[in-house]
Amino acid sequence: MILLWACALILVPASAVAQNLGVNWGTIASHPLDPKTVVNMLKDNGIKKVKLFDADSITLNSLAGTDIDVMVGIPNLHLQDLSVKYSSAQAWVRKYQCASLGNEPFLTSYNGTYTNSAFPAMKNILKALNEAGVGKDIKVSTPLNGDVYMTPTYKPLDVIFRGDIADLMGQICEFLQENDVPFIVNIYPFFNLYQNPGFPKEYAFFDNNNSSDFDDDGVKYHNVLHANIDTLVAALKTAKTPDLPIIVGEVGWPTDGNVYATKQNAQRFYNGLLQKMASNDRTPLRPKKNPDVYMFSLFDEDFKSIDPVMFERHWGILSFDGQPKFPMDLSGKGQNKSLVGGKDVPYLEKQWCVHKKDVSDQNNLAVKVEWACNNTDCTTIVPGASCSVMGLDVNASVAFNMF
């Protein structure tokens, strides 16, 4: 079953999947794996839900005929056209039959670029789906960042939708409820730690022995993910849609590019997340059902922008070649087992070039390293990253071998 997103998100009903677990599959890479290899790897690991960020035909064809449920996204850059041209929405539906609209279109960093187009685009796509006779089977939503709501006291029950989009969020929540569509939110505990120097590190994880509990008028939270989900639950109540289903569209932990972005921390985070899901440890305000959760992301993506942060290229639970980075038990039982990696991946001949220290012209070495890093992925040698203390000459070797 295939779900197309139009960066407002179009969902197709999914079959029951253990742990309600899925994964985001991004492809912003210099050497993306063959989609057939990726699909086989998803099946080998028992992953039956995947979220895509665009409607690449080769990727979609590789998923056709499998039992993998797919959310397919329409990128933000199409929202304006879809919002004002109904014919464009009709063309998308004729071509793809389903869509999810945008990805985090209301981020504050976008400065309102998509504020006026995301919701009209959602309504146009739904209208086109209804016209095609599939509107009841294919749903339209949009993945939103957790910054659409806020709580000045950090207490979930004090939440409000962000002032500049409060009325719009009320309309979107009503639209989702009327059409029986989940609210999709992207939540990143890593950013709480990265952006706030005083944030208690243990509260970002799940195995903190209650050492960093947060008390919201008698309701105790043992980790920031559950607190964030319940903050959204409280916001939905203020929007008069208290029972709206929730999907966590993205959650994960990067493995390089920052002092907190390590494989050890990522393994700890995922182990805790998966065990919480397997044990049905639910949030205080949603005690009956865990939300579906999509891990971010399947692979490292070395062509992603590093503006403003260097770790954006290293969110994968697998390296760029589809190999596991650390042990990970998707069953949530905490077993020391690895994911099944990509099979029959073609590699170039192994070689490593070393910077020659005795070359006479060393004056512009730093400039040359910077030039190479502007054209490749040098995340590992930035301050705080995994290879950040090796010195300029070794950095030169790394940079030009990556280049």
Short mmCIF file of all heavy atoms in Angstrom, two decimals, residues 17 21 95 98 179 182 187 215 279 326 394 400:
data_model
loop_
_atom_site.label_atom_id
_atom_site.label_comp_id
_atom_site.label_asym_id
_atom_site.label_seq_id
_atom_site.Cartn_x
_atom_site.Cartn_y
_atom_site.Cartn_z
N VAL A 17 1.32 -2.88 12.50
CA VAL A 17 2.75 -3.14 12.45
C VAL A 17 3.27 -3.17 13.88
O VAL A 17 2.91 -2.32 14.70
CB VAL A 17 3.49 -2.05 11.66
CG1 VAL A 17 4.99 -2.31 11.66
CG2 VAL A 17 2.96 -2.00 10.23
N LEU A 21 6.10 1.16 14.34
CA LEU A 21 7.40 1.74 14.01
C LEU A 21 7.60 1.86 12.50
O LEU A 21 7.33 0.93 11.75
CB LEU A 21 8.51 0.87 14.60
CG LEU A 21 9.94 1.39 14.45
CD1 LEU A 21 10.13 2.65 15.28
CD2 LEU A 21 10.93 0.31 14.90
N LYS A 95 -1.37 11.62 -11.21
CA LYS A 95 -0.08 10.97 -11.38
C LYS A 95 0.26 10.03 -10.24
O LYS A 95 0.81 8.94 -10.43
CB LYS A 95 1.02 12.03 -11.51
CG LYS A 95 2.40 11.48 -11.85
CD LYS A 95 3.38 12.61 -12.11
CE LYS A 95 4.76 12.08 -12.49
NZ LYS A 95 5.73 13.17 -12.73
N CYS A 98 -2.11 9.87 -4.45
CA CYS A 98 -2.15 10.29 -3.05
C CYS A 98 -1.00 11.25 -2.79
O CYS A 98 -0.08 11.34 -3.57
CB CYS A 98 -2.06 9.09 -2.11
SG CYS A 98 -0.66 8.03 -2.42
N ASN A 179 -11.79 15.12 8.62
CA ASN A 179 -11.42 14.15 7.59
C ASN A 179 -10.72 12.92 8.16
O ASN A 179 -10.16 12.12 7.40
CB ASN A 179 -10.53 14.83 6.55
CG ASN A 179 -11.28 15.88 5.75
OD1 ASN A 179 -12.08 15.54 4.88
ND2 ASN A 179 -11.04 17.16 6.07
N PRO A 182 -4.61 12.04 11.10
CA PRO A 182 -3.76 12.33 12.26
C PRO A 182 -3.03 13.66 12.15
O PRO A 182 -2.79 14.18 11.05
CB PRO A 182 -2.75 11.17 12.26
CG PRO A 182 -3.33 10.12 11.38
CD PRO A 182 -4.15 10.85 10.36
N ILE A 187 9.55 15.58 16.40
CA ILE A 187 10.06 15.91 17.74
C ILE A 187 11.50 15.42 17.85
O ILE A 187 11.78 14.26 17.56
CB ILE A 187 9.19 15.26 18.84
CG1 ILE A 187 7.74 15.72 18.72
CG2 ILE A 187 9.75 15.60 20.22
CD1 ILE A 187 6.80 15.01 19.69
N ASP A 215 7.77 17.70 36.91
CA ASP A 215 6.46 17.62 37.53
C ASP A 215 5.56 18.73 37.00
O ASP A 215 5.87 19.91 37.16
CB ASP A 215 6.60 17.74 39.06
CG ASP A 215 5.31 17.36 39.78
OD1 ASP A 215 4.25 17.88 39.41
OD2 ASP A 215 5.37 16.55 40.72
N SER A 279 7.05 -1.78 25.52
CA SER A 279 6.43 -1.99 26.83
C SER A 279 5.09 -1.27 26.97
O SER A 279 4.45 -1.34 28.01
CB SER A 279 7.37 -1.49 27.93
OG SER A 279 7.52 -0.08 27.86
N PHE A 326 25.53 0.80 14.82
CA PHE A 326 25.59 0.31 16.20
C PHE A 326 24.51 -0.75 16.37
O PHE A 326 23.56 -0.83 15.57
CB PHE A 326 25.38 1.45 17.21
CG PHE A 326 24.22 2.36 16.87
CD1 PHE A 326 22.91 2.01 17.19
CD2 PHE A 326 24.44 3.57 16.23
CE1 PHE A 326 21.85 2.84 16.87
CE2 PHE A 326 23.38 4.42 15.90
CZ PHE A 326 22.08 4.05 16.23
N VAL A 394 46.43 15.94 9.25
CA VAL A 394 45.52 14.79 9.14
C VAL A 394 44.17 15.24 8.61
O VAL A 394 43.54 14.54 7.80
CB VAL A 394 45.36 14.08 10.49
CG1 VAL A 394 44.40 12.90 10.37
CG2 VAL A 394 46.71 13.61 11.01
N PHE A 400 40.57 15.74 1.64
CA PHE A 400 40.78 15.45 0.23
C PHE A 400 40.44 14.02 -0.14
O PHE A 400 40.07 13.73 -1.28
CB PHE A 400 42.21 15.81 -0.18
CG PHE A 400 42.39 17.27 -0.42
CD1 PHE A 400 42.85 18.11 0.59
CD2 PHE A 400 42.04 17.83 -1.64
CE1 PHE A 400 42.97 19.47 0.38
CE2 PHE A 400 42.17 19.19 -1.86
CZ PHE A 400 42.64 20.02 -0.86
#
